[in-house]
Amino acid sequence: MPLGAEPDRNCPRCPRLVAFRNAWRVNEPEWFNAPAPSFGPIGARVLIVGLAPGLQGANRTGRPFTGDYAGVLLYDTLSRFGFAKGVYAAHPDDGLTLLDARISNAVRCVPPENKPTPEEIRTCRSFLKETLSEMANLRAIVALGRVAHASVLAAIGARLSVYPFAHGAQHATPHGRLFDSYHCSRYNTNTGVLTPEMFRAVFAEVRTYLDARSQASTSAAF
Ligand code: SF4
């Protein structure tokens, strides 16, 4: 039976992550402590793919990139480029909505030390595949980091050697334009690997790409 795009709350497929999840259900029973669902409209043209829920982020709150530092930069950037509306206040009831954008993760359960194993990435990819295929209007994918980039390529059946990861790179894949960015983690921003300007530049390109496509289809209609 197909698993669909959203894992069950008690998805049993990665024993190490299940054990970690269960331990946090005991430690913090008020937390979400389950596979983080995708956030945003299914009809969006953009899918942003992160690595995995942060322990105190989506694993705690239940919404991707919500509650830890990565979300501050991501949602601020999305708002600047018209992909989000409302005020991000680090909890799922803050009323923030995504416009023409959706957010998901390569791995849906929080991994210890933010490090999923290759086997866990591979196992969770069926959900990423389904997420990609259920988005009928998908035109652009933003991969946050090398793991997300590689998992997206594997999900769409494209080869990493043909589309290597590089921050700011764009790849015209048979399944839409893939944009690469370093992950907006606190570590990357604190160490200067990724500055807010570098991150915004990626989303400026995504916006330009989508606007150009809209213009082209409007012109074609006349
Ligand atoms: S990471 Fe994905 S496949 Fe593994 S247990 Fe969580 S939801 Fe299931």
Side-chain angles (χ1 to χ4, degrees):
M1 197 173 85
L3 289 165
E6 292 303 328
D8 184 82
R9 183 171 168 80
N10 295 311
C11 178
R13 301 174 76 201
C14 305
R16 187 183 76 119
L17 302 188
V18 170
F20 194 58
R21 199 171 70 197
N22 287 342
W24 280 100
R25 285 181 182 178
V26 173
N27 290 348
E28 295 286 354
E30 301 301 313
W31 288 10
F32 185 71
N33 293 318
S38 301
F39 173 44
I42 204 168
R45 287 183 297 168
V46 182
L47 180 67
I48 299 150
V49 182
L51 169 61
L55 181 63
Q56 305 242 10
N59 178 65
R60 178 171 61 84
T61 64
R63 192 177 73 180
F65 289 87
T66 299
D68 55 10
Y69 175 78
V72 175
L73 179 55
L74 177 61
Y75 288 115
D76 174 76
T77 305
L78 292 178
S79 294
R80 283 171 188 258
F81 293 97
F83 292 116
K85 180 174 74 173
V87 177
Y88 170 72
H91 56 82
D93 303 325
D94 56 14
L96 187 90
T97 52
L98 296 184
L99 306 171
D100 209 11
R102 199 169 185 220
I103 306 175
S104 196
N105 278 312
V107 173
R108 299 295 193 96
C109 292
V110 59
E113 296 172 4
N114 296 324
K115 287 193 184 119
T117 65
E119 180 62 25
E120 289 158 355
I121 297 164
R122 203 164 32 246
T123 303
C124 208
R125 189 171 300 131
S126 59
F127 297 110
L128 177 60
K129 255 184 172 168
E130 290 289 333
T131 301
L132 290 161
S133 64
E134 73 180 1
M135 294 181 69
N137 300 322
L138 188 64
R139 299 290 178 274
I141 303 165
V142 183
L144 301 181
R146 290 172 194 277
V147 172
H149 170 93
S151 203
V152 165
L153 288 180
I156 64 176
R159 288 171 54 189
L160 190 54
S161 56
V162 179
Y163 306 105
F165 176 86
H167 176 83
Q170 296 183 32
H171 310 277
T173 78
H175 295 264
R177 181 73 59 112
L178 174 61
F179 295 79
D180 288 342
S181 172
Y182 291 134
H183 194 283
C184 51
S185 64
R186 183 187 285 274
Y187 178 82
N188 279 350
T189 49
N190 278 355
T191 54
V193 167
L194 180 73
T195 64
E197 292 73 25
M198 287 166 67
F199 197 56
R200 287 174 201 144
V202 172
F203 283 88
E205 291 291 331
V206 176
R207 175 51 75 199
T208 300
Y209 174 70
L210 291 179
D211 288 351
R213 283 192 65 103
S214 300
Q215 262 181 2
S217 56
T218 306
S219 311
F222 288 96

